[in-house]
Amino acid sequence: MNEPTAGRPAPRVVRLASPEALAEAVAGQLLERLLSRQQKGDVHLCLTGGRIANRMYEALANLVPTTNLDPARLHIWWGDESFVPVTDPDRNATQSFGILARTITFAPGQTHPMPAQDGQRDADEAAFAYSRELGDTVFDVCLLGLGEDGHIASLFPCHPSFAQSTSATVIGVSEAPKPPPDRMSLTLPAINRSRAVWVLVSGEEKSGAVARALAGDVDLPSAAVSGTEETFWFLDADAASQLPRYNCLL
């Protein structure tokens, strides 16, 4: 497992039996975290896209109506986005917000989607606009998915987007290895100033990337993510299949 960033706790791995169990477990833990944090003031949550994340948002939306979650204290951000028109159904914000808004009435001005292609010259301009909106915001929880190649957000291995030395918090990404080619993404510095980083991974096809990231493969962006207070990897059994059992908290 990779060495933790200096002064930070080592990443912890939690293995669940199935994608359904993963979604329900993370939804419950996330709701508990939001309820705890809202007692101290506003809560900043950074969302990710992808199938397992959307499944978790469905579980979260089902849990919320019976709780005291206060949407007026909840700010929603996104870790990356496709640079496509606002009407594109594949936008991460469209999918995740559409699921959560079924049961959560978000306060105006506290939902922060990344800019769409409409009215923006290019992804760099859109990323700069989002960085201005983000400012020095620190996420209470930053959710991330994982690609088969080990990418997180829209930071890809062997690609200019994976520049750990950058001082920017949001970047435009061009010629991405997966479609669409133009994207926006938080950078590692923006992700790693989060209090908690939670990586959600489902599927055997990602098990190799999981093992490499947790072994500290410096070529993978996912190996470099770390929250200031905690880092959790939530894996279903297939995604964890290449890890030693003693690396997993069952």
Side-chain angles (χ1 to χ4, degrees), residues 3 8 18 25 43 50 55 69 73 82 119 121 200 226 228 231 236 249:
E3 292 296 321
R8 301 188 182 194
S18 65
V43 184
R55 186 173 290 188
L69 183 69
R73 293 188 174 181
S82 302
R121 184 171 62 248
L200 284 59
S226 175
T228 60
T231 305
D236 69 7
L249 306 176

Side-chain angles (χ1 to χ4, degrees), residues 2-238:
N2 53 301
E3 292 296 321
T5 301
R8 301 188 182 194
R12 302 176 68 188
V13 179
V14 180
R15 180 169 59 189
L16 289 308
S18 65
E20 294 80 10
L22 189 158
E24 292 175 6
V26 175
Q29 189 162 330
L30 179 57
L31 182 56
E32 289 182 9
R33 182 62 54 86
L34 298 178
L35 291 169
S36 174
R37 289 286 186 181
Q38 76 176 16
Q39 298 178 26
K40 304 174 184 179
D42 285 355
V43 184
H44 293 267
L45 172 63
C46 184
L47 303 182
T48 186
R51 290 189 301 272
I52 191 61
N54 287 342
R55 186 173 290 188
M56 188 275 287
Y57 301 145
E58 290 280 5
L60 179 62
N62 291 336
L63 291 173
V64 165
T66 59
T67 72
N68 295 321
L69 183 69
D70 183 1
R73 293 188 174 181
L74 181 58
H75 285 260
I76 301 294
W77 303 84
W78 277 265
D80 75 317
E81 189 58 271
S82 302
F83 187 60
V84 293
V86 70
T87 55
D88 193 309
D90 290 334
R91 274 176 54 87
N92 288 337
T94 300
Q95 295 182 11
S96 51
F97 185 74
I99 295 168
L100 294 172
R102 290 195 296 104
T103 61
I104 305 174
T105 304
F106 292 97
Q110 293 189 193
T111 303
H112 309 275
M114 288 186 168
Q117 190 179 53
D118 315 71
Q120 302 288 333
R121 184 171 62 248
D122 53 31
D124 290 331
E125 181 180 74
F128 179 74
Y130 201 63
S131 70
R132 295 284 297 273
E133 183 172 2
L134 180 66
D136 58 0
T137 298
V138 173
F139 304 125
D140 292 284
V141 180
C142 179
L143 302 172
L144 296 170
L146 179 75
E148 294 180 40
D149 61 355
H151 81 265
I152 45 93
S154 286
L155 306 180
F156 297 92
C158 302
H159 188 271
S161 58
F162 182 31
Q164 299 188 53
S165 62
T166 183
S167 60
T169 56
V170 189
I171 58 170
V173 177
S174 59
E175 299 183 0
K178 62 176 290 187
D182 295 324
R183 297 161 168 263
M184 297 154 285
S185 180
L186 296 182
T187 61
L188 282 173
I191 292 169
N192 287 347
R193 72 188 186 191
S194 306
R195 293 185 175 90
V197 170
W198 293 2
V199 188
L200 284 59
V201 194
S202 172
E204 186 175 8
E205 71 278 6
K206 298 182 180 181
S207 61
V210 168
R212 289 176 60 195
L214 289 171
D217 189 330
V218 296
D219 292 329
L220 300 187
S222 48
V225 297
S226 175
T228 60
E229 297 178 7
E230 67 181 33
T231 305
F232 273 92
W233 284 67
F234 294 94
L235 312 172
D236 69 7
D238 287 339

Side-chain angles (χ1 to χ4, degrees), residues 235-249:
L235 312 172
D236 69 7
D238 287 339
S241 61
Q242 294 192 38
L243 295 181
R245 288 186 65 85
Y246 60 76
N247 276 351
C248 298
L249 306 176

